[in-house]
Coordinates of all heavy atoms in Angstrom, one line a residue:
T1498 N -4.8 10.6 26.4 CA -3.9 10.5 27.5 C -2.7 11.5 27.2 O -2.2 11.5 26.1 CB -3.3 9.1 27.6 OG1 -4.4 8.2 27.8 CG2 -2.3 8.9 28.7
E1499 N -2.3 12.2 28.2 CA -1.2 13.1 28.1 C 0.1 12.3 28.3 O 0.2 11.5 29.2 CB -1.2 14.2 29.2 CG -2.3 15.3 28.9 CD -2.2 16.4 29.9 OE1 -1.4 16.4 30.8 OE2 -3.1 17.3 29.8
I1500 N 1.0 12.5 27.4 CA 2.3 11.8 27.4 C 3.4 12.8 27.3 O 3.5 13.6 26.4 CB 2.4 10.8 26.2 CG1 1.2 9.8 26.3 CG2 3.7 10.1 26.1 CD1 1.1 8.9 25.1
R1501 N 4.3 12.7 28.3 CA 5.5 13.6 28.4 C 6.6 13.2 27.4 O 6.9 12.0 27.3 CB 6.1 13.6 29.8 CG 5.2 14.3 30.8 CD 5.9 14.4 32.2 NE 6.3 13.1 32.7 CZ 7.5 12.7 33.0 NH1 8.5 13.4 32.7 NH2 7.7 11.5 33.5
L1502 N 7.2 14.1 26.7 CA 8.4 13.9 25.9 C 9.4 14.9 26.4 O 9.3 16.1 26.1 CB 8.1 14.1 24.4 CG 9.3 14.0 23.5 CD1 10.0 12.6 23.7 CD2 9.0 14.2 22.1
T1503 N 10.3 14.4 27.3 CA 11.3 15.4 27.9 C 12.3 15.8 26.8 O 12.5 15.2 25.8 CB 12.1 14.7 29.0 OG1 12.9 13.6 28.5 CG2 11.1 14.2 30.1
D1504 N 12.9 17.0 27.1 CA 13.9 17.5 26.1 C 15.0 16.5 26.0 O 15.6 16.4 24.8 CB 14.4 18.9 26.7 CG 13.3 19.9 26.7 OD1 12.3 19.8 26.0 OD2 13.5 20.9 27.5
E1505 N 15.4 15.9 27.0 CA 16.5 14.9 27.0 C 16.2 13.7 26.0 O 16.9 13.3 25.2 CB 16.9 14.4 28.4 CG 18.0 13.4 28.4 CD 17.6 11.9 28.1 OE1 16.4 11.5 28.4 OE2 18.4 11.2 27.6
R1506 N 15.0 13.2 26.2 CA 14.5 12.1 25.3 C 14.4 12.5 23.9 O 14.8 11.8 23.0 CB 13.2 11.5 25.8 CG 13.2 10.6 27.0 CD 13.8 9.3 26.8 NE 15.2 9.3 26.9 CZ 16.1 8.4 26.5 NH1 15.7 7.3 25.9 NH2 17.4 8.5 26.7
R1507 N 13.8 13.7 23.7 CA 13.6 14.2 22.3 C 15.0 14.3 21.6 O 15.1 13.9 20.5 CB 12.9 15.6 22.4 CG 12.7 16.2 21.1 CD 12.1 17.6 21.2 NE 12.2 18.3 20.0 CZ 13.3 18.9 19.6 NH1 14.3 19.0 20.3 NH2 13.2 19.6 18.4
A1508 N 16.0 14.9 22.3 CA 17.3 15.1 21.7 C 17.9 13.8 21.4 O 18.5 13.6 20.4 CB 18.2 15.9 22.7
H1509 N 17.8 12.8 22.4 CA 18.3 11.5 22.2 C 17.7 10.8 20.9 O 18.5 10.2 20.1 CB 18.1 10.6 23.4 CG 18.5 9.2 23.3 ND1 19.9 8.8 23.3 CD2 17.8 8.1 23.1 CE1 20.0 7.5 23.1 NE2 18.7 7.0 23.0
L1510 N 16.4 10.9 20.8 CA 15.8 10.2 19.7 C 16.2 10.8 18.3 O 16.4 10.1 17.4 CB 14.2 10.3 19.8 CG 13.6 9.6 21.0 CD1 12.1 9.9 21.1 CD2 13.8 8.1 20.9
L1511 N 16.2 12.1 18.3 CA 16.4 12.8 17.0 C 17.9 12.9 16.6 O 18.2 13.3 15.5 CB 15.8 14.2 17.1 CG 14.3 14.2 17.3 CD1 13.7 15.7 17.4 CD2 13.5 13.4 16.3

Side-chain angles (χ1 to χ4, degrees):
T1498 302
E1499 288 187 358
I1500 299 172
R1501 292 184 299 116
L1502 176 58
T1503 65
D1504 295 338
E1505 181 275 330
R1506 284 285 89 194
R1507 181 184 165 279
H1509 174 74
L1510 297 173
L1511 300 179

